[in-house]
Amino acid sequence: HSARSGDREPNYKNRHSRAAIVCFCDAISRCNCPDLGSTELASKKPPKKRKKVCMSIPTETYETIWEQYTAATHWMAGLGIKLSSGRTSHYEKVVRHWKSAYKTATAEEERDIFPDFVSSMFEIFDFLSIHKAFQSVPVSQLASIIEKLKKGVNGPINAADETPESTFSRNFLFEATVAAKAHRPERGIEAILDAKSDTGIRINGKKIWIECKRVTTLEKIEGNARKASSQLETVLSREV
C-alpha cells in the first residue's frame, strides 16, 4: 500500500510513491517501457511489429484504507453487530494512528509497530470486501451474512495467536468473505445468501454450492477436503 507522493515512508514499505507499472510485450520484441529497462529476446524469426500493453496497478493511501474501514464498521454497527471492544476496534485504532504517524516515526517505532500494524492491515481487508460487496443489498436479504459477522468479529486480535479452540470466529468470517469476493452481480455472478452450504454462487441461473475450509495445518487438508465433500453431498441430495 503506497503512500502519497512526497510522504516519507517507513523502511518496511514500498518506497515508490507512484503506481507500479507492469509491461506485457510481444515475445519477439524489445521492451522499452519506462523504468523497466530493455530486454532483447532471442528468436529465429524476424522481429514482428511490437505489441505492448502497459497496465497501471492501483494503490491506495493508508488514509483511504482507514476511511473505507470506518465506513465498513459503521455499516456493520447498523446491522446490529457489536464492535465496541475486541479486534475490530483494535484494528481501527492502530490504522487511525499510523495512517499519519508513519511519516515521522523513528526506526525504533517502526520496528515496534511492524507486527501489529501488518496484522491489522491484513485483517481489515476481509471486512472491506464484505462491506463493498453487500452494502447495497437490502438488510432483509443479509440474515446469513449478519450471523457470520456477529461471530466473525470475535477471536484473538492476531491470527498468529489462534489455537484449535479459537478458530471458530475467523472460520465464519472466511465464509462471508468468500461470498463477498464471488458476488459480482454486474457480471451476472451472485452470492447465494440463503445457501444451505457455507455459501454458494449463482451464474446464469445455475447454482454452485461451496463449503469453506481454512487451511491451518498441512496435516488437516485431506481431512477437511473429505469433510467438505461429505457436506456437499448432503446439500446436493436435498437440492436435486
Side-chain angles (χ1 to χ4, degrees), residues 160-185:
D161 296 328
E162 276 194 327
T163 65
E165 293 74 33
S166 66
T167 60
F168 179 81
S169 296
R170 281 181 172 83
N171 289 347
F172 279 100
L173 184 65
F174 180 56
E175 294 173 11
T177 302
V178 171
K181 292 186 176 180
H183 189 63
R184 297 291 184 272

Side-chain angles (χ1 to χ4, degrees), residues 178-194:
V178 171
K181 292 186 176 180
H183 189 63
R184 297 291 184 272
E186 71 280 3
R187 299 181 183 179
I189 305 172
E190 295 180 306
I192 302 174
L193 299 177
D194 59 350

Side-chain angles (χ1 to χ4, degrees), residues 189-210:
I189 305 172
E190 295 180 306
I192 302 174
L193 299 177
D194 59 350
K196 302 302 180 183
S197 54
D198 287 342
T199 189
I201 56 176
R202 184 182 291 104
I203 304 176
N204 296 326
K206 295 186 169 93
K207 297 177 180 179
I208 300 175
W209 306 109
I210 300 171

Side-chain angles (χ1 to χ4, degrees), residues 35-50:
D35 300 330
L36 296 182
S38 299
T39 304
E40 188 71 35
L41 300 178
S43 173
K44 295 180 181 180
K45 297 180 181 180
K48 294 181 179 179
K49 184 177 180 180
R50 180 172 18 187

